[in-house]
Amino acid sequence: MSQLFDQVAGKFARDIDSAIRKGTYVRGELFVGLAKQAIPSGGHVLDYGCGPGRLSNLLARSGFQVRGVDTSGGMIEQARALDHQGLNVEFNTIGNFDEALTPNIYDAIVCSSVVEYVADADELLHGFHRALRKPGVLIISYANDSSYWRKRWKREAIPNPMGSSQHHVWDWAGFRTLLEKNGFQTTTQPKFFESPWDGRPWGKWFRNSPFVGSLGVVVARAVPFSAA
């Protein structure tokens, strides 16, 4: 799968840069806003599956210590080409899912458009729980099965080259259950994004609706597992 992401890394980075210039990078706006609310100032943040590093850079500019990791060397190459002057941010390529998940090391983990591509979502979330200092923060997006736009794109749009690598979609109740099963207690309702309305001035009014955005982002805290 990392080879597929290597192939699209350059275009992916250019598309995000274009959205940032236009002020329409809703993903960044939502993740950074939630991070400022939920993570202590100066906290150590892992951006897991950081892609071309744009979100990592935005988090670092907001005062966090950030480590961005990805299995795609092409994505990390794009990330390292960014202007990092004065920022506490680093980027590393990892060879497997748990390579960066040292126990009790991070104050927060940010995970944007990753969990739906992982065959074993439970295993990944267990790794996140292990790597967080308790009660650490997880800010995570998921593929939203309730989205009208997701269903329409799947039916009518040109096939997404990433589609064949996607293993999961969830409605909100199903994703919340997945988080709780793996030691996380949600602290926010999801905000939904990634629809044609994202760049419209009135698009923000639909971010609470599960029927619009094809992705949802939520904040959860790591809690102790209940004794069996």
Side-chain angles (χ1 to χ4, degrees):
M1 185 171 69
S2 60
Q3 292 180 344
L4 175 61
F5 284 92
D6 287 345
Q7 293 168 11
V8 301
K11 182 180 185 307
F12 196 44
R14 290 191 296 273
D15 287 348
I16 297 173
D17 289 340
S18 176
I20 291 173
R21 286 193 298 271
K22 295 175 182 176
T24 59
Y25 187 40
V26 174
R27 183 190 302 265
E29 175 190 334
L30 290 175
F31 270 88
V32 172
L34 291 170
K36 288 179 176 179
Q37 294 171 20
I39 305 171
S41 178
H44 190 193
V45 179
L46 174 68
D47 185 357
Y48 188 92
C50 67
R54 273 55 182 173
L55 180 55
S56 294
N57 245 33
L58 291 174
L59 290 166
R61 291 188 186 282
S62 297
F64 301 109
Q65 306 173 57
V66 184
R67 182 188 183 198
V69 300
D70 205 291
T71 58
S72 166
M75 290 290 189
I76 293 298
E77 183 179 347
Q78 293 291 327
R80 287 175 174 165
L82 286 167
D83 179 9
H84 306 135
Q85 187 172 3
L87 300 180
N88 194 337
V89 60
E90 64 172 311
F91 295 101
N92 305 113
T93 305
I94 56 174
N96 56 68
F97 95 94
D98 63 349
E99 189 173 316
L101 301 179
T102 304
N104 302 313
I105 190 171
Y106 301 109
D107 298 303
I109 295 175
V110 167
C111 183
S112 172
S113 289
V114 173
V115 68
E116 58 264 41
Y117 293 100
V118 175
D120 192 335
D122 292 288
E123 186 178 17
L124 180 65
L125 290 170
H126 265 282
F128 288 168
H129 191 276
R130 179 177 69 246
L132 284 168
R133 300 178 183 132
K134 310 305 181 285
V137 174
L138 174 63
I139 305 176
I140 186 169
S141 70
Y142 66 96
N144 173 29
D145 193 40
S146 300
S147 167
Y148 163 77
W149 291 111
R150 175 174 291 280
K151 291 178 171 63
R152 181 175 177 183
W153 283 332
K154 186 174 181 179
R155 185 175 65 248
E156 300 177 6
I158 297 171
N160 182 345
M162 307 298 187
S164 61
S165 299
Q166 190 176 89
H167 294 281
H168 312 283
V169 293
W170 298 269
D171 62 14
W172 168 226
F175 193 67
R176 181 173 56 200
T177 298
L178 177 74
L179 289 170
E180 290 172 351
K181 181 174 66 168
N182 288 287
F184 290 96
Q185 183 177 74
T186 57
T187 61
T188 67
Q189 292 293 307
K191 296 291 185 183
F192 298 96
F193 64 104
E194 200 77 8
S195 84
W197 296 347
D198 276 3
R200 307 293 180 88
W202 37 265
K204 62 183 179 181
W205 301 113
F206 295 92
R207 291 183 191 162
N208 293 323
S209 171
F211 305 111
V212 180
S214 63
L215 298 173
V217 57
V218 64
V219 179
R221 287 197 178 272
V223 296
F225 283 104
S226 299

